[in-house]
Amino acid sequence: MLRLGVTEQGLTEIMAVAEHVASMAALAEGFRLRPDVPRLPDGPSTEVVPPIDEAEAGLAAQTLAEIRLWATDVLGVQHVPAFWRVLARHPRFLSATWAKDRLVLARGELDEAIKACAATAVAMNMHSAYCVAYVNPWVRRVVGLDDSGMVELGAAVMHYVSFNTIAHGMMLQPPFVDVRAGDFKPGGKLANAPGPGAPPGAGRHPMRRFDG
């Protein structure tokens, strides 16, 4: 990420997306929520905590109304997704989590498209059927992906799941530690280090060290 020109703020934004979507997936799977995007689920209920009816939202009504507008515009659905209607049983928690959602997933140093791809990757890696379905229309819309584009995104996720599994299984240490974004810029101590975004020829000198 730093090699590709992202600063420490951008790296923190990616971490925030990963943490937020992973926590959503944990709740959705823990409460056995059925995917309800793009359409409401059929069949017997599996939810261990049923979503509330919007008509009975009480103190959560204003926040659910905001979410409904967003869901209509971004997800293309005419209902508040079950995830948020479960949280509505605790109105203050709902409000705080929705505010965090808007902060974390909105454009910052990184644009919304990058964050949508990151959110999709996290949802897939968490094996969350609910969150994968939830973010699917968002990433398709904001990135402009068709089915082929989704497979391309999935291929990147598969590659890095494989990469991380092997690195973890072989107990590999990170190649760089205690680095800053400036280290990868021209003139920085890691400007010629190998990796994505590296200049042509970087890393072709096997005896060269990059530890400064």
Side-chain angles (χ1 to χ4, degrees):
M1 292 292 293
L2 294 177
R3 155 69 72 192
L4 294 174
V6 175
T7 69
E8 286 80 1
Q9 176 182 326
L11 190 60
T12 301
E13 290 180 12
I14 285 290
M15 292 179 182
V17 172
E19 177 274 330
H20 180 61
V21 176
S23 68
M24 290 180 66
L27 186 141
E29 298 308 303
F31 286 171
R32 301 190 63 198
L33 303 185
R34 293 168 295 168
D36 62 343
V37 175
R39 61 188 62 86
L40 292 170
D42 297 322
S45 174
T46 63
E47 286 77 6
V48 297
V49 178
I52 69 168
D53 190 305
E54 290 182 57
E56 301 174 354
L59 295 175
Q62 181 176 344
T63 304
L64 290 185
E66 294 177 10
I67 296 171
R68 173 185 271 276
L69 290 175
W70 173 85
T72 299
D73 181 53
V74 174
L75 303 183
V77 299
Q78 301 300 316
H79 62 273
V80 176
F83 176 87
W84 300 107
R85 290 187 287 118
V86 168
L87 268 57
R89 293 184 177 279
H90 195 318
R92 290 176 61 190
F93 180 49
L94 170 69
S95 177
T97 306
W98 175 243
K100 176 188 175 187
D101 186 272
R102 295 299 81 213
L103 172 65
V104 167
L105 299 182
R107 180 185 181 91
E109 177 179 317
L110 304 180
D111 62 28
E112 190 179 356
I114 292 175
K115 292 187 174 185
C117 289
T120 301
V122 173
M124 293 174 68
N125 195 47
M126 293 293 292
H127 303 172
S128 174
Y130 186 89
C131 286
V132 168
Y134 178 89
V135 300
N136 178 63
W138 174 43
V139 72
R140 284 177 179 267
R141 180 189 64 83
V142 74
V143 185
L145 298 179
D146 57 12
D147 289 342
S148 295
M150 289 298 296
V151 173
E152 187 174 346
L153 176 57
V157 176
M158 284 182 62
H159 172 70
Y160 278 98
V161 168
S162 300
F163 184 92
N164 290 338
T165 300
I166 293 171
H168 179 74
M170 298 182 68
M171 301 178 67
L172 302 180
Q173 296 298 314
F176 309 118
V177 295
D178 191 24
V179 295
R180 299 292 182 269
D183 294 338
F184 293 93
K185 296 184 181 301
K189 67 179 182 178
L190 297 173
N192 292 315
R204 292 184 180 176
H205 305 286
M207 299 302 295
R208 182 174 180 178
R209 294 177 58 84
F210 297 104
D211 55 8

